[in-house]
Amino acid sequence: MNTSSCISISTMKPCCRILSSCKGSSFIGKCNHFMNDNLSNPHCKLDDIHTVSDYATRVIGIIGSNRSVFCGSDSNWRHFRLNKETRCYSVDANVASDVRNFSTSIEAQVNEKRFNKFYIQGCLNVKPLVIDRIESGKDVAKVEEEIRTDINNGSGVNVKHPDNYLNGECVSESPHEKELSEVEKEAWNLLRGAVVNYCGFPVGTVAANDPADKQPLNYDQVFIRDFVPSALAFLLNGEGEIVKNFLLHTLQLQSWEKTVDCYNPGEGLMPASFKVRTVPLDGRNGEFEDMLDPDFGESAIGRVAPVDSGLWWIILLRAYGRITGDYTLQERVDVQTGICLILNLCLSDGFDLFPTLLVTDGSCMIDRRMGIHGHPLEIQALFYSALRSSREMLSINDSTKSLVSAINNRLSALSFHMREYYWLDRKKINEIYRYKTEEYSTDAINKFNIYPDQIPSWLVDWIPEIGGYLVGNLQPAHMDFRFFTHGNIWTIISSLGSHEQNESILNLIEDKWDDLMGKMPLKICYPALEHEEWRIITGSDPKNTPWSYHNGGSWPTLLWQFTLACIKMGRPELAQKAVDLAEKRLSADHWPEYYDTRHGRFIGKQARLCQTWTIAGYLTSKMLLQNPDMASKLFWNEDYELLENCVCALRPNGRRKCLRSAARSQVGL
């Protein structure tokens, strides 16, 4: 067979598979999985694989009973080794246009719901083509030798990794040119030791890799959320392969039918984590195959599906393109479909009148009962970031037009809602203190019926004169006044808050350094729930005791996000101070998951050691501080056009009083 001119779907059994029921597929059981890679010279267009895509639902490359051959032009194939006899190839269909610079203006038909059908009309059932082929042992060895080049110089840092170069040009500078400290060398070695391989290729990092841990539970899995700092560390080091593999493999796990008590989660849901399992190959004695086994929440504590996984996936996809300069990944049809499915799930209509996402307790980084159900700040900030990322990456065509319009509408409404109602400073506290309650009308000042007696006593003396922050949650008759670090940091990174508000958040952190940083940055929330409040809200959770775990514990993984926010606001010295503080203890304490006590003096009582996102967060922070220009590829600047448009102005039956002028005044327009 002329391998340069023909593609075949093989009857051979692949060595890799996904545990999935593959909703809507024409087959049951195993799904042929693949290792995807963009072709350096892709000649095969979407029309060339039209026949194949008609047969594939959610996964292309189904192993059939007959061998089908499709002949095309001479293509430059990138080979992946699966086992001694089988390889997996992919066809990269570049069908998306360059949409990174399109206008953000809102379309007139804001109530149009056709975006709900985008993935059906536009790109459902379209996945990259997978080809299995028998090759000689000699060729396989040669390919493996080409792929598995030694990229380490003894310090665990990349040296001339092939992903450093795109189209012959260097896109990122490797930290190997700078002398690494012993702590950094140790961190890199630990991070590389946490890498998980699937069919011989890296697809992520385990949550923790402590060799002394005899009961890893789910810490030996790859979490979408936890992998983000690892991905950024690899990307900043010029290593894009593991991130690309991760994005494509998690995409193939999207929209499962695994259920709790026979209820199907919404299509587009991304798993919280996945595990690579090695099982005996059917009918082949002594041979094994890899399987991807994802967890959508059916095994999690409390059985809560993750809301933030899909949001993190979109954010990481954008970061991959901006850091590597390789935008072909986000332009693939299957990736475009994945974005649309996540957005459809997030933008679907419900009973809520607010532009914020309504979620359950434990559906994000704070994954246990902590009273964050409703509209937690962290989810809204990630939601805003994911919407802005999607708008940059989505291909604009007739099918996506209404979806982009819906994104812009939601961005405009969400931005105003968060800045206006979640913001808290000394002036706003005094306003709440004088609120009237039980106000009925669209002109009510106390729109959420917040009772002045809800203002906690600690807050009155704690709030500084020149600082402020966004509250942790807001819903009818309830305002969670706690300071949640993750959400406030992402408010800065995503420009969800105005420039003045972002400055005020950093001012507050600096002013309350001892409370929020202490001996180990950063407090996940402040203050902790104590006494009767802890018993009622957490249900007497023995892990979330006061100043421990998610109840006021200190999480060093937040360092990279804090560093990114500080660089954006022109205050890298604050981030450097936090990194220096953490650097004194992390290595000596064996890189714990979290720290306990009010000032973070002790390792968490149930903290895992060698926690990967602690290690990766430190490395990412160091690299961002060494190369601040790279930070600009990861954050978002203010989008003034969003504030020029107001959803209510486009609705004939909209609110009687448009608040667009108030939103625009926040940035001095």
Side-chain angles (χ1 to χ4, degrees), residues 26 92 101 235 263 342 415 434 484 516 529 541 554 599:
S26 59
D92 188 11
N101 297 315
L235 287 173
Y263 185 78
I342 295 171
S415 176
R434 296 172 56 83
F484 284 86
L516 301 177
L529 299 172
D541 186 351
S554 298
H599 296 292

Side-chain angles (χ1 to χ4, degrees), residues 1-9 43-45 47-52 68-75 77 91 129 131 133:
M1 181 186 296
N2 186 351
T3 58
S4 64
S5 60
C6 291
I7 312 169
S8 70
I9 297 181
H43 296 293
C44 182
K45 304 300 182 183
D47 293 339
D48 298 329
I49 59 171
H50 178 72
T51 305
V52 179
S68 301
V69 179
F70 303 87
C71 294
S73 59
D74 187 18
S75 299
W77 297 107
V91 172
L129 183 61
I131 303 94
R133 182 178 295 126

Side-chain angles (χ1 to χ4, degrees), residues 207-253:
N209 192 30
D210 181 8
D213 188 0
K214 304 303 180 183
Q215 290 183 319
L217 300 179
N218 60 349
Y219 282 81
D220 62 350
Q221 297 187 23
V222 181
F223 282 79
I224 290 184
R225 177 197 314 121
D226 293 30
F227 179 68
V228 172
S230 296
L232 294 179
F234 285 123
L235 287 173
L236 292 173
N237 195 40
E239 301 175 59
E241 179 193 10
I242 185 173
V243 182
K244 187 174 189 178
N245 293 342
F246 171 85
L247 289 167
L248 289 171
H249 280 296
T250 49
L251 177 63
Q252 296 304 310
L253 301 176

